[in-house]
Amino acid sequence: MALSRIEQLHGTPAEQAAVRRYPDLLQLKPGHDVLDVGAGAGHVAHHLAARVTARGTVCALDRSAALLAHARQRNRRALGVQGDAGALPFPAGRFDRVFARWLLLHLPDPFAAIREMLRVTRSGGRVLVVETDWDSLCISPGDTDLVRRIVHANTDRQANAASGRRLTALFRQAGCRDVQVHAFVDHVSTGDPNWVAFLESRLDVARAAGIDARDLALWWEDVRRAIDAGEFFACVTRIAVAGALTESVSDQPGNTSS
């Protein structure tokens, strides 16, 4: 995802509210050592660092050196590490808490990433993974079939668009106990400029998928009129799954992770 689109989403009230919830869902405390996998530009890492205080540490990991540079600028206390979620460059049991958001939908093997996150979590630690189920996005106004095609054009381009729906099963298959699901709905009923800009950027993907450009243009005109009239509405489901460990996953039978 381009940096501009990341910033658009993070500028929305719904996203800002969600980010403030993550430290609580992680049961984060001062002094904890935390890994943020797929940290991107460091928006969440910044909030995690505030919770662990100077007594703890936050490591922001991402494949993109450019995004990590932004993460370091956002919070100088966060350690930036370039790496792959499927082969984390850390020893087993290194962190008290591990977090990932908007990561698995981009990965060809989400299970490998879950296993790695659990491997580097200490016994008694906690892992939290968050995905937005973009297939659940509903928007009004608009012809139902056209809106559905626009939504699917954007989700079909992801490696694992349904990863949020599979999170609970992935956690349990990976040997995690006490799996907890927190599903909540983000909704927009105003013309929030960041959210509208993000939604408008999705039109390019829909055009590339073969949806008629005139149909898209007419729909967007309807959306803009609805915003001006206070009649616009959109919502999407966010799925957060957390799990605790009683033993290091690297010690479980059948695991060959190094």
Side-chain angles (χ1 to χ4, degrees), residues 59-225:
C59 179
L61 180 138
D62 202 277
R63 295 183 63 179
S64 169
L67 289 177
L68 284 175
H70 286 279
R72 294 188 187 100
Q73 291 175 2
R74 182 162 277 107
N75 193 313
R76 297 293 181 182
R77 285 183 49 226
L79 172 66
V81 175
Q82 193 170 4
D84 188 342
L88 296 174
F90 306 105
R94 166 67 179 80
F95 297 96
D96 299 296
R97 300 288 189 269
V98 177
F99 173 82
R101 181 202 54 166
W102 301 346
L103 171 69
L104 299 188
L105 80 165
H106 300 297
L107 301 182
D109 188 358
F111 184 68
I114 294 290
R115 288 285 299 185
E116 278 292 272
M117 284 186 269
L118 293 171
R119 180 184 67 81
V120 302
T121 304
R122 70 167 176 82
S123 177
R126 191 171 183 84
V127 176
L128 174 67
V129 178
V130 182
E131 294 289 346
T132 298
D133 188 348
W134 289 109
D135 253 345
S136 72
L137 176 63
C138 64
I139 304 169
S140 178
D143 173 78
T144 301
D145 181 65
L146 176 61
V147 172
R148 185 183 295 117
R149 290 167 61 205
I150 294 169
V151 170
H152 287 174
N154 281 273
T155 56
D156 288 349
R157 59 198 283 268
Q158 305 295 349
N160 277 285
S163 56
R165 305 178 187 194
R166 299 177 56 212
L167 277 176
T168 302
L170 290 174
F171 267 61
R172 289 175 175 152
Q173 290 167 15
C176 197
R177 71 165 184 88
D178 189 26
V179 178
Q180 300 175 0
V181 180
H182 307 270
F184 43 104
V185 176
D186 299 338
H187 69 276
V188 182
S189 56
T190 65
D192 174 72
N194 289 293
W195 207 93
V196 172
F198 172 77
L199 182 60
E200 186 174 16
S201 72
R202 305 293 83 193
L203 295 178
D204 290 337
V205 178
R207 292 189 194 97
I211 299 177
D212 185 80
R214 177 169 172 77
D215 289 343
L216 291 172
L218 291 173
W219 173 69
W220 191 246
E221 289 177 7
D222 288 341
V223 169
R224 296 301 316 196
R225 281 194 292 268

